[in-house]
Amino acid sequence: MAKISGNEIRPGNVIEHDGGLWVAVKTNSVKPGKGGAYNQVELKNLITGTKLNERFRSAETVEQVDLEYKDFSFLYEQGDALVFMDTESYEQLELDKDFVGDRAAFLQDGMMVTVRLYGEKPIGISLPDQVVLAITEADPVVKGQTAASSYKPAILENGVRVMVPPFIEAGEKILVDTNEITYLRRAD
């Protein structure tokens, strides 16, 4: 781990602070008229998700943590666990569904994900930003609605409900944003 001074903390940096792992979400350099300059940093705990606002002076040093990013392939779901395989060593990794969260519904066989590791412990997972899914159910269009602002509910093949434009029908494939869980466009 490398030591960096408090004024070098940037958004995205992972630091060790108060015995925990924190990622810098926002930073703001403050130079008051009286007193020394400091860096106002909004931190988010990587394990618990709690947030904290902290001031770091340039004389203070913090430990910058280097995380390992590894590519894994999604294999299958087993009860409350999701099983992934390391693409280099072929070792399997089991993660709780709660660890992945709501986005676990978007996992597909063979999908490549990136797992953030601290030592050997997984602390985060990144899915592809967009996936192609088929619509199983779509409400009919209501006559008289304006096309500009009217979206209708639709159910995807994985059971997730999204709002789609009126011209989208059941059976069509669409591109879905896995972060916002929203319709992007028709799939090619």
Side-chain angles (χ1 to χ4, degrees):
M1 288 190 282
K3 285 196 179 276
I4 59 170
S5 67
N7 62 346
E8 292 176 342
I9 299 172
R10 300 285 173 258
N13 286 146
V14 178
I15 62 169
E16 199 170 283
H17 179 65
D18 285 343
L21 289 177
W22 301 83
V23 64
V25 179
K26 290 182 193 168
T27 61
N28 185 21
S29 295
V30 180
K31 296 176 179 99
K34 200 172 189 178
Y38 59 88
N39 199 6
Q40 183 73 36
V41 182
E42 183 181 319
L43 299 168
K44 183 178 178 187
N45 191 303
L46 283 173
I47 311 299
T48 62
T50 56
K51 287 194 173 181
L52 170 74
N53 276 313
E54 198 72 44
R55 286 182 178 180
F56 293 98
R57 303 213 176 268
S58 59
E60 294 178 64
T61 58
V62 292
E63 291 284 336
Q64 183 176 9
V65 178
D66 287 328
L67 298 178
E68 187 179 353
Y69 292 85
K70 270 189 159 181
D71 289 332
F72 283 82
S73 174
F74 175 67
L75 294 178
Y76 57 90
E77 187 176 326
Q78 181 177 318
D80 282 345
L82 301 167
V83 182
F84 298 88
M85 180 182 66
D86 187 334
T87 55
E88 292 174 11
S89 68
Y90 302 109
E91 290 178 23
Q92 290 189 0
L93 170 71
E94 275 191 31
L95 297 176
D96 252 9
K97 265 191 190 172
D98 295 341
F99 182 79
V100 180
D102 295 340
R103 300 183 328 149
F106 292 103
L107 287 170
Q108 299 169 349
D109 289 347
M111 179 182 277
M112 295 303 293
V113 298
T114 304
V115 178
R116 289 189 303 277
L117 301 162
Y118 176 63
E120 291 295 312
K121 185 176 189 241
I123 58 170
I125 187 167
S126 301
L127 273 64
D129 290 334
Q130 303 167 349
V131 292
V132 175
L133 291 167
I135 292 183
T136 55
E137 254 179 71
D139 288 355
V141 179
V142 178
K143 294 253 187 233
Q145 282 186 329
T146 58
S149 65
S150 65
Y151 273 62
K152 63 182 183 179
I155 308 289
L156 299 171
E157 63 186 275
N158 61 359
V160 175
R161 185 175 181 266
V162 294
M163 298 300 281
V164 297
F167 57 83
I168 299 291
E169 301 294 328
E172 286 190 63
K173 289 189 179 279
I174 62 168
L175 203 61
V176 180
D177 183 325
T178 58
N179 299 312
E180 302 292 321
I181 308 177
T182 55
Y183 163 86
L184 292 173
R185 61 180 166 83
R186 276 186 174 145
D188 298 332

